[in-house]
Amino acid sequence: MLDAPVSALPGIKAPDVNRLNKLGVETIRDLLLTLPFDWETYGEPVPIASLAVGAQATVVGTIISIAPKITRFKKMKLTEAIIRDESDAGLRVAWFNQPFVARQLHKGDRVAVAGLVKIGYGMLEMQNPHHERLEGNEEGEPSRVGGLMPKYHLVGGLSSKKIAGWVESALPLAGELEDLLPERVREHHRLLPVAEAVRLGHRPDTFAQWREARRRMAFAELFELQAAFALMRASIAAEPATPIAYSQDVIDAFKAGLGFELTRAQRRSTWEAFQDMEKPVPMNRLLNGDVGSGKTAVAAACVAMAHAAGLQSVVMAPTEILARQHLHRFRAYLEASFPGLTVELLVSSQSAAERRRVKTAAASGHCALVVGTHALIEEDVEFMDLGLAVVDEQHRFGTRQRELLRAKGQGRPHFLAMTATPIPRTLALASYGEMSVSVIDEQPPGRMPVETEVVEPDQRRRAYELVREQVHAGRQAFVICPLIEDSETVVARSATAEFERLQKDVFPDLRMGLVHGRLKEKDEVMRAFVSGEVRVLVATAVVEVGVDVPNATVMMIEGADRFGLAQLHQFRGRVGRGAGQSHCLLLTDDPSEPALNRLNLMTQIRDGFKLAEEDMRIRGMGELMGSRQHGMSDLAMQALQQPELLSEVRQEAESLLEADPGFEHNPLLKAAVARRLDLTSIS
Ligand code: ADP
Ligand code: MG
């Protein structure tokens, strides 16, 4: 029953099932495990006679009439009741599309209702208020309505009230939930058993109970993740890899051929990777550095070292444009200093003959490095002796794709993943726990900071003027479309509409281009932008704009308030790469104070890691998006605010694996971990 889809809940309709699915709630188990993230209080009941229009209020009274009705205009079903209280005033209450209300409540019932007070047909009114029957309730006092109301994460069309109703009907099943936390761990950390945590989490009597329930759920989730990482680390460490000996000559030649000095952070990261590669077990390292921090040079140093040890390397990038950019850069970094080191490209748009040539070179050991896209993981690609596999923008690939790449050699190659999303240390440990992390927290010298401004709705014209000015001065601009939580088709359509509007009404004289995920010609458009033919590029957030266009000096982001700070910072990193002063314009549709305050952080903070931390702090406080991209619920994300918790969880998971290799004696945990390793794309 727990694994039944939510559609099995009594009275639930298909649209609501879809909405729940969107929130990641597919089964009854998911529903039970998703606790409210906060509570709403309406306060103590007040007399109807003293109600003020526009206020949130709680009222206790007697139903003097109640009947189902149909609205005259839109033919909506509703239940309408009149409630009267001791102040002898009446309140009309209307529940739309909630026919069950009419079955629950009857004339003469004492009820509590809580909601927004309005005026309708000359009478005080509440629409769709929370309600509770007080009969049979010992004190005749409202226990929930005027006290705590749960707040659940929502998508359009859902309400916390609805979710609370479904949870209510599912709660009797809580006793069947299996506890994946070993009892010893639970006792050690004084954590509630799962069934109790679920009951108290949804229906606590006190805030303290709810917090305890949340602590338990967050702990369990992090524990499951860390157990999965511990298992992965153990399995990687059990496989042999060919050690790559460190050579000072190689590093000297590499540095001599670069044309610039490595930054301190680059040297440190390179050194960390070299130390890993010297070992007879595979390196498994994440290179985490801000956009433009020079990760490619670090990877190139590793390639040079592998080559000197007689081993080949492979570098996989998510798009063809990036792969081509890497081809040029790796050649520039390596080919002059290491004459025998040839770099080849493998992408699906090449001719069959060219691909065959590259595949033969790889299989026969005649090229030292192959750079490419997904084409690299096709079955017929083989390497003679692969020593190092590198994945760029690693979050764009799934576990399986990375595994396929690693499997291209005999035995396991050393593995280096790169990500341009600065991740705070705790989050990195929590979501990439199976890897060691090198941080490049320093930019190469000489970069001019990007001037960042928040543009409120009525100043939009100014933003357009800046774009025009810069383009007239020979520069280029990006326009990023707002994030729409919907299908890719909808996103594509709205981007297209915005592109057409700008081209027609705002920049009729400028050459513009459009890229979105659905577009077949997106590589062509990107190339036209790189070459300078297209001056203004309209792009959706889903599209890879991770290419170097030093001539672009304006990054204009529509609906900036909908993005996380880390993501805004990513976009900003696309400009400021050339000599000219660059600008980042954050357009917002939401001029409210919290939104503006958050965006203003962008104007003050330039360090991607600091912004990521701020992002986490702010989102942790409630407004959460994108947490699932880290494979965690918002609850777990929030728990990460206490770094001690994470290290405790990590230790517990490790010592459990030591005592019980493979988690054979903890079958529930084993199953949960297996599910996670299969599903996750974060490792
Ligand atoms: P990332 O992949 O981390 O975003 P790249 O490796 O693409 O960054 O490097 C960005 C740009 O900075 C490239 O043009 C690169 O040649 C240059 N670069 C990298 N390291 C240095 C350095 N230490 N000094 C000067 N320029 C550098
Ligand atoms: Mg890069």
Side-chain angles (χ1 to χ4, degrees), residues 5 7 19 21 124 137 151 161 178 183 185 189 214 228 372 404 438 454 484 504 523 542 590-591 599 603 605 641 675:
S7 56
R19 290 171 186 135
N21 291 170
L124 289 174
N137 176 332
K151 287 200 219 171
K161 169 91 186 172
E178 320 81 357
E183 206 172 312
V185 173
H189 296 274
R214 299 250 304 173
L404 283 173
S438 290
V454 179
I484 313 177
K504 186 163 155 283
D523 275 2
V542 294
D590 175 9
L599 289 181
T603 65
I605 304 176
Q641 315 243 349
R675 228 178 302 138

Side-chain angles (χ1 to χ4, degrees), residues 291-292 294-296 322 325-326 329 392-393 418 420 546 577:
V291 185
K295 293 181 285 296
T296 322
L322 272 177
Q325 185 180 297
H326 278 321
R329 207 161 275 160
D392 193 17
E393 305 286 334
M418 304 198 276
R577 310 189 132 207

Side-chain angles (χ1 to χ4, degrees), residues 260-263 266 289-297 325 329 333 420 444-445 447 548 577:
F260 50 74
E261 290 275 311
L262 290 175
T263 62
Q266 280 171 316
D290 219 333
V291 185
S293 60
K295 293 181 285 296
T296 322
Q325 185 180 297
R329 207 161 275 160
Y333 289 165
R447 298 261 161 87
D548 225 354
R577 310 189 132 207

